[in-house]
């Protein structure tokens, strides 16, 4: 591995951060708020650290897998570190631990916050907070769709097999245009959502920051009451639509945008994703209506927003779901664990793995009935090898194990069991809010310091797909 | 870019980081200093003036009670002293309107004090008001409470701003320290990065070149030394390779 090459490309990521810091700084300057200097200085550091390797290190045309992977992991960690600087320099509620939590939560598109009064933050800092989501979202797309598929491990095969054959034809991973296509979809969705929210009466600042958070399936809102602040059905509908879209594989979105909309429905994963969300909304609606909390219309409105927000790992809120019946909370925790499709900005176990998991169970039952039968598991038209299925089950077990371990540590630190488990699942799945003291209208400020570090570790583990980190630290796995 | 420019750039970046952090710290400290002055000038003076007015009002109230009991001389003397003290406090408050809402508060005090004064400026002793506690509680005491409440509101307003300024001062102190800490850490990291790159792109090729020349002197064969950068070092290696070529040609001719 050539460390200077890694530095050169990490420098590019720092420049991307610097660009958004500059915009935040300009916003801060226009509003004459107290975040101007913290943002300006962080911009300066980020830009200088980004430019220097570009000037000093000569460019190269080839990057090895290991270098590519190291670039991604280091970019993520360094971005989180850069993200800490404006927060900690500004002060307020930001201790180093809190600033690290907020920054990691932003870049991993988790959306969990330690802030008790978000609206006390200056506009420039609020913009930077939302921008971390958007930058993180780009990182995920590039990592998942451009880096992981090249790693060649069975666990990564999912990222290549989940698309329908037509989408694969249209969307050639190894083509040089891949990045451009991904970015066009990402930027395009953000732009269209911003315009839609403007039409719904939101201010430009709020529309942009909410679009950043929606497309990256993040969940940071500049308002204490999140989307509940607007109390607007139109705003909620627009955000619901874009949350659902952001939870679909970007390759499939590309196929749909190029005129093959039927491809979306042909994908078993997307079918399950949409049906699961619909089922979840109906179950939650019936439950909260049954407990006489709201009228039918309100029950549908709240259930649709909350379930889709959690089910796509976004984490926006319109109401405090912590007061909902236990059945509802369990349904929501299921969606916190499952989340949306692979190849999107969503976190969690992913719908694809759940579908594969159920197919593996069905195969096992059939095998027990007919031991001599040769049964292959297929995802759409692609037959999957046994080691892919095995890695999938291992991933799910590992995932649940980490959530359990994290919850165990939190309970040892004195956090109640509901908050500990839901908080761990929400951070591991990059969802954002949990239940109890970390509910949709609460925050993570009451979690002990060590607990916050544990949760940031789970955020990074969840974001880098566990196996990604294992491959990174396992030299033998490199081709 | 040449080697000299690259090195200059490295030191320039270090200098910029430290310079900006220094300037910013000085700015924050200066602003914090002026905030303390502002706090003393704007709020502390108004609070003191408010306290003076409350003290005056209480004296006037005692004076009125003395008048009610028929003690004209003592009563009037206390009231006049109180009125002087009140006017003094009020003048300070009126000339020190510095925060939003303070002007309205001062105007309110003025109006209410006028109404209160109208009650006791007229004779009380040897009139129907003497010993009339009903009149005192119905009119005088109410008017007294009204002015006192307005003055207390002025004090509270300034107290709140003073608390906010003090919190702001704390944040400013934090912001004055942080650039220094961040600059030191960033400079340390940058120094490590700079040293690594200098070693990788300057020192290592020089070491390889020295070893190559030694190898050439021992065996007459110069190994290929690669220099990735197109700077003075690249030119040096190319020149040495050309020189070695010429030495070889000269040796072959001899």
């Amino acid at each position: 591995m050539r460390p200077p090459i890694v530095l050169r490309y990490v420098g590019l990521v720092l420049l991307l951060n610097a660009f958004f810091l500059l915009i935040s700084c300009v916003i801060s300057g226009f509003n004459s708020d107290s975040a101007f200097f913290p943002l300006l200085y962080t911009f300066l550091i980020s830009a200088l650290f980004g430019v220097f390797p570009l000037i000093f290190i000569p460019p190269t045309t080839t990057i090895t897998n290991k270098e590519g992977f190291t670039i991604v992991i280091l970019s993520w960690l360094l971005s989180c570190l850069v993200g800490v600087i404006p927060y900690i320099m500004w002060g307020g509620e930001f201790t180093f631990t809190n600033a690290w939590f907020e920054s990691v939560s932003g870049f991993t598109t988790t959306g969990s916050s330690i802030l008790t009064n978000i609206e006390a933050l200056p506009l420039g800092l609020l913009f930077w907070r939302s921008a971390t989501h958007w930058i993180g979202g780009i990182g995920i797309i590039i990592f998942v769709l451009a880096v992981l598929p090249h790693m060649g491990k069975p666990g990564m095969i999912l990222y290549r097999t989940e698309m329908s054959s037509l989408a694969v034809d249209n969307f050639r991973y190894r083509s040089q245009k891949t990045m451009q296509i991904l970015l066009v979809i990402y930027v395009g969705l953000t732009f269209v959502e911003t315009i839609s929210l403007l039409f719904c009466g939101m201010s430009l600042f709020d529309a942009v920051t909410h679009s950043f958070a929606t497309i990256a399936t993040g969940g940071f809102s500049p308002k204490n009451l999140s989307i509940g602040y607007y109390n607007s059905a139109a705003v909620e509908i627009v955000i619901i639509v874009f949350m659902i879209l952001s939870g679909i594989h970007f390759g499939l979105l590309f196929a749909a945008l190029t005129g093959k909309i039927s491809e979306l429905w042909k994908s078993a994963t997307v079918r399950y994703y949409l049906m699961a969300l619909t089922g979840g909304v109906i179950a939650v609606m019936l439950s909260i209506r049954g407990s006489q909390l709201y009228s039918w219309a309100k029950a549908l409105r709240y259930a649709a927003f909350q379930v889709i927000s959690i089910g796509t790992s976004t984490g926006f809120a319109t109401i405090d779901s912590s007061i909902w019946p236990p059945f509802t909370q369990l349904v929501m925790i299921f969606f916190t664990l499952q989340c949306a499709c692979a190849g999107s900005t969503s976190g969690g176990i992913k719908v694809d793995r759940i579908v594969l998991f159920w197919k593996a169970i069905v195969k096992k039952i059939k095998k027990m009935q007919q031991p001599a039968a040769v049964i292959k598991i297929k995802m759409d038209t692609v037959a999957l090898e046994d080691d892919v299925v095995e890695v999938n089950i291992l991933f799910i077990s590992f995932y649940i194990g980490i959530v359990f371990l994290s919850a165990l540590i939190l309970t040892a630190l004195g956090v109640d069991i509901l908050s500990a488990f839901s908080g761990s699942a929400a951070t591991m799945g990059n969802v954002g809010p949990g239940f109890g003291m970390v509910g949709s209208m609460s925050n993570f400020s009451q979690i002990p310091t060590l607990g916050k570090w544990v949760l940031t570790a789970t955020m990074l583990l969840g974001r880098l797909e566990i196996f990604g980190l294992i491959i990174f630290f396992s030299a033998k796995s490199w081709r | 870019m040449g080697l000299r420019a690259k090195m200059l750039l490295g030191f320039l970046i270090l200098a910029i980081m430290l310079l900006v952090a220094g300037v910013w710290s000085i700015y924050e400290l200066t602003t914090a200093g002026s905030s303390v002055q502002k706090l003393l000038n704007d709020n502390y003076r108004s609070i003191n003036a408010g306290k003076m007015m409350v003290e005056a009002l209480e004296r006037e109230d005692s004076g009125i009670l003395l008048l009610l009991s028929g003690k004209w001389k003592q009563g009037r003397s206390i009231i006049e002293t109180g009125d002087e003290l009140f006017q003094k406090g009020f003048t300070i408050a009126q000339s020190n309107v510095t925060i939003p809402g303070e002007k309205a508060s001062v105007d309110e005090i003025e109006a209410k004090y006028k109404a209160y004064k109208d009650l006791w400026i007229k004779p009380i002793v040897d009139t129907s008001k003497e010993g009339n506690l009903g009149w005192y509680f119905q009119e005088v005491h109410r008017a007294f409470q009204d002015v006192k409440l307005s003055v207390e509101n002025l004090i509270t307003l300034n107290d709140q701003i003073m608390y906010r300024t003090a919190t702001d001062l704390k944040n400013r102190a934090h912001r004055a320290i942080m650039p220094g800490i961040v600059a030191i850490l960033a400079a340390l990291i940058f120094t490590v990065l700079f040293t690594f790159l200098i070693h990788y792109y300057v020192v290592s090729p020089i070491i390889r070149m020295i070893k190559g020349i030694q190898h050439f002197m021992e065996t007459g064969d110069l190994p290929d030394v690669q220099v990735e950068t197109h700077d003075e070092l690249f030119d040096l290696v190319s020149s040495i390779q050309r020189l070695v070529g010429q030495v070889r040609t000269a040796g072959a001719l001899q």
Side-chain angles (χ1 to χ4, degrees):
Chain A
M1 194 169 68
R2 297 161 296 173
I5 301 303
V6 173
L7 284 175
R8 186 179 161 87
Y9 284 91
V10 170
L12 281 173
V13 176
L14 288 181
L15 283 180
L16 178 69
N17 280 318
F19 173 72
F20 280 95
L21 280 162
L22 183 64
I23 298 174
S24 311
C25 193
V26 170
I27 292 171
S28 202
F30 268 116
N31 289 287
S32 308
D33 65 41
S34 52
F36 180 74
F37 275 114
L39 288 165
L40 180 73
Y41 196 63
T42 316
F43 156 73
L44 204 70
I45 288 181
S46 197
L48 292 176
F49 269 87
V51 161
F52 187 65
L54 284 183
I55 293 169
F56 215 99
I57 303 162
T60 181
T61 48
T62 54
I63 299 173
T64 64
N65 280 346
K66 190 171 184 178
E67 283 164 358
F69 212 68
T70 312
I71 288 165
V72 170
I73 306 273
L74 274 184
S75 299
W76 227 297
L77 293 175
L78 275 177
S79 294
C80 289
L81 211 58
V82 166
V84 165
I85 302 173
Y87 294 142
I88 199 161
M89 281 186 139
W90 185 75
E93 290 184 68
F94 292 114
T95 57
F96 184 76
T97 302
N98 283 352
W100 173 251
F101 187 94
E102 202 75 5
S103 180
V104 174
S105 177
F107 279 106
T108 56
T109 74
T110 305
S112 304
S113 181
I114 49 82
L115 292 168
T116 52
N117 184 11
I118 298 164
E119 285 162 43
L121 255 63
L123 285 186
L125 212 54
L126 281 175
F127 184 84
W128 168 243
R129 189 167 164 265
S130 300
T132 57
H133 270 340
W134 205 75
I135 301 167
I138 291 181
I140 295 154
I141 294 297
I142 293 171
F143 176 61
V144 165
L145 296 181
V147 178
L148 281 188
H150 291 249
M151 299 311 297
K153 292 298 293 178
M156 307 309 155
I157 289 170
L158 268 177
Y159 292 98
R160 286 184 283 177
T161 56
E162 68 208 356
M163 289 166 63
S164 71
S165 54
L166 190 68
V168 173
D169 287 341
N170 282 339
F171 188 86
R172 297 178 62 200
Y173 279 129
R174 290 181 186 274
S175 82
Q176 291 188 341
K177 284 190 174 174
T178 302
M179 297 288 177
Q180 284 173 344
I181 291 165
L182 294 174
L183 288 177
V184 165
I185 295 172
Y186 194 75
V187 175
L189 283 175
T190 311
F191 182 74
V192 176
E193 191 190 345
T194 304
I195 300 292
S196 309
L197 289 175
L198 281 173
F199 273 114
C200 294
M202 247 191 210
S203 70
L204 180 64
F205 181 85
D206 287 4
V208 171
T209 48
H210 281 108
S211 298
F212 278 3
T214 313
I215 304 305
T217 62
F220 277 160
S221 168
K223 301 293 177 196
N224 287 330
L225 294 175
S226 191
I227 305 302
Y229 170 87
Y230 302 96
N231 192 22
S232 157
V235 166
E236 286 164 34
I237 289 167
V238 167
I239 290 177
I240 282 174
V241 169
F242 282 92
M243 284 194 293
I244 293 172
L245 286 175
S246 304
I248 295 173
H249 192 294
F250 271 47
L252 282 172
L253 279 184
F254 170 73
L257 285 171
T258 49
K260 310 287 188 287
I261 296 172
S262 61
E263 283 305 302
L264 283 177
W265 194 245
K266 281 181 189 168
S267 160
T269 309
V270 176
R271 275 202 311 273
Y272 170 81
Y273 165 61
L274 295 175
M275 286 193 304
L277 284 179
T278 312
V281 171
I282 293 169
V284 169
M285 180 188 71
L286 291 174
S287 173
I288 57 175
R289 173 63 196 141
S291 56
Q292 304 292 316
L293 283 170
Y294 315 103
S295 63
W296 278 107
K298 279 199 169 175
L300 174 64
R301 184 174 162 184
Y302 293 144
F305 194 89
Q306 297 289 115
V307 170
I308 291 166
S309 175
I310 299 291
T312 56
S313 90
T314 309
F316 282 140
T318 49
I319 197 101
D320 187 5
S321 51
S322 291
I323 58 161
W324 288 359
F327 166 77
T328 318
Q329 296 190 4
L330 272 178
V331 172
M332 304 268 279
I333 286 176
F334 166 74
F335 280 105
T336 301
L337 291 168
Q338 176 187 271
C339 297
C341 306
S344 70
T345 51
S346 169
I349 291 171
K350 307 262 173 9
V351 162
D352 311 62
R353 290 196 180 97
I354 300 289
V355 172
L356 193 52
F357 177 72
W358 288 117
K359 286 189 176 185
I361 290 174
V362 172
K363 180 192 168 183
K364 194 72 192 167
I365 293 167
K366 281 183 182 170
K367 260 292 209 197
M368 285 162 74
Q369 289 167 340
Q370 300 164 307
V374 178
I375 305 160
K376 277 276 173 193
I377 294 178
K378 283 187 173 182
M379 287 287 274
D380 296 334
T381 54
V382 183
L384 298 180
E385 287 173 23
D386 285 347
D387 62 344
V388 176
V389 180
E390 196 181 301
V391 169
N392 183 60
I393 294 167
L394 198 64
F395 179 94
I396 295 172
S397 316
F398 211 176
Y399 188 100
I400 304 284
I402 292 170
V403 171
F404 182 75
L405 184 68
S406 167
L408 202 67
I409 297 170
L410 289 183
T411 48
L413 294 169
V415 178
D416 69 276
I417 193 161
L418 178 66
S419 307
F421 185 76
S422 65
S424 297
T427 48
M428 184 76 183
N430 306 121
V431 174
F435 291 98
M437 66 194 267
V438 294
S440 52
M441 289 290 162
S442 316
N443 53 68
F444 285 72
S445 61
Q446 297 302 311
I447 299 287
T449 302
L450 181 61
K452 286 175 187 164
W453 284 94
V454 170
L455 292 176
T456 52
T458 58
M459 283 179 209
L460 285 165
L461 267 173
R463 190 71 285 167
L464 295 170
E465 298 278 322
I466 308 171
F467 286 149
L469 272 188
I470 293 170
I471 289 169
F472 180 66
F473 290 113
S474 165
K476 281 183 186 172
S477 63
W478 297 101
R479 275 185 171 183
Chain B
M1 190 182 275
L3 206 54
R4 195 167 47 179
K6 282 178 188 171
M7 285 187 172
L8 188 70
L9 183 79
F11 288 115
L12 200 68
I13 287 174
L14 263 177
I16 291 171
M17 281 195 296
L18 295 172
L19 186 77
V20 173
V23 170
W24 179 15
S25 286
I26 292 166
Y27 168 78
E28 289 288 353
L29 283 172
T30 315
T31 322
S34 53
S35 289
V36 174
Q37 195 58 46
K38 198 170 176 302
L39 188 126
L40 291 173
N41 289 346
D42 297 356
N43 307 116
Y44 195 63
R45 274 182 72 198
S46 291
I47 290 168
N48 262 351
K51 282 179 182 167
M52 212 183 272
M53 285 189 274
V54 170
E55 165 74 22
L57 286 169
E58 276 164 1
R59 280 193 199 178
E60 284 169 5
D61 189 48
S62 314
I64 293 165
L65 284 171
L66 283 170
L67 291 178
L68 280 176
S69 61
K71 294 174 180 169
W72 182 87
K73 200 175 175 185
Q74 283 166 289
R76 279 293 161 194
S77 164
I78 289 171
I79 286 175
E80 274 165 25
T81 320
D83 188 40
E84 271 174 35
L85 188 66
F86 186 89
Q87 293 303 338
K88 198 175 159 189
F90 183 75
T91 311
I92 295 170
Q94 206 174 25
S95 62
N96 197 41
V97 173
T98 50
I99 53 176
E102 201 172 14
K103 173 85 172 72
S105 187
V106 169
D107 290 346
E108 189 184 288
I109 292 169
E110 190 178 23
K112 285 187 177 173
Y113 185 71
K114 189 177 175 295
Y116 175 56
K117 199 172 174 178
D118 283 347
L119 292 171
W120 55 253
I121 200 79
K122 292 167 197 161
I124 293 171
V125 179
D126 296 335
T127 67
S128 61
K129 290 171 192 166
E130 189 179 325
N132 188 349
L133 285 175
W135 171 75
Y136 172 78
F137 283 113
Q138 286 294 317
E139 294 188 36
V140 183
H141 195 68
R142 269 191 194 169
F144 160 73
Q145 291 287 5
D146 267 4
V147 197
K148 198 176 164 188
L149 189 69
S150 297
V151 177
E152 276 166 357
N153 283 344
L154 178 73
I155 295 173
T156 310
L157 186 71
N158 277 279
D159 264 342
Q160 281 169 349
I161 299 291
M162 201 153 97
Y163 178 77
R164 228 180 290 167
T165 315
T167 312
D168 185 51
L169 267 174
K170 189 185 148 212
N171 288 335
R172 280 192 179 281
H174 173 87
R175 279 178 217 140
I177 297 165
M178 285 318 291
I181 296 171
V182 173
I184 290 167
L185 288 174
L188 279 174
I189 295 168
F190 187 79
T191 309
V192 171
L193 177 75
F194 190 43
T195 312
F196 169 73
L197 291 175
I198 291 287
H199 176 80
Y200 197 91
Y201 286 109
V202 181
V203 180
S204 281
I206 291 173
I207 292 170
R208 284 203 301 272
M209 198 63 228
I210 292 168
K211 281 182 183 168
I213 292 168
Q214 277 171 350
H215 189 261
F216 172 73
M217 288 184 335
E218 285 163 12
T219 63
D221 189 29
L222 183 71
D224 188 28
V225 177
Q226 294 287 329
V227 176
E228 291 173 51
T229 51
H230 291 277
D231 50 26
E232 290 88 338
L233 207 64
F234 180 81
D235 297 339
L236 176 71
V237 170
S238 307
S239 302
I240 290 172
Q241 279 166 346
R242 276 204 305 275
L243 180 73
V244 166
Q246 283 176 2
V247 170
R248 271 188 192 146
T249 316
L253 284 172
Q254 279 174 3

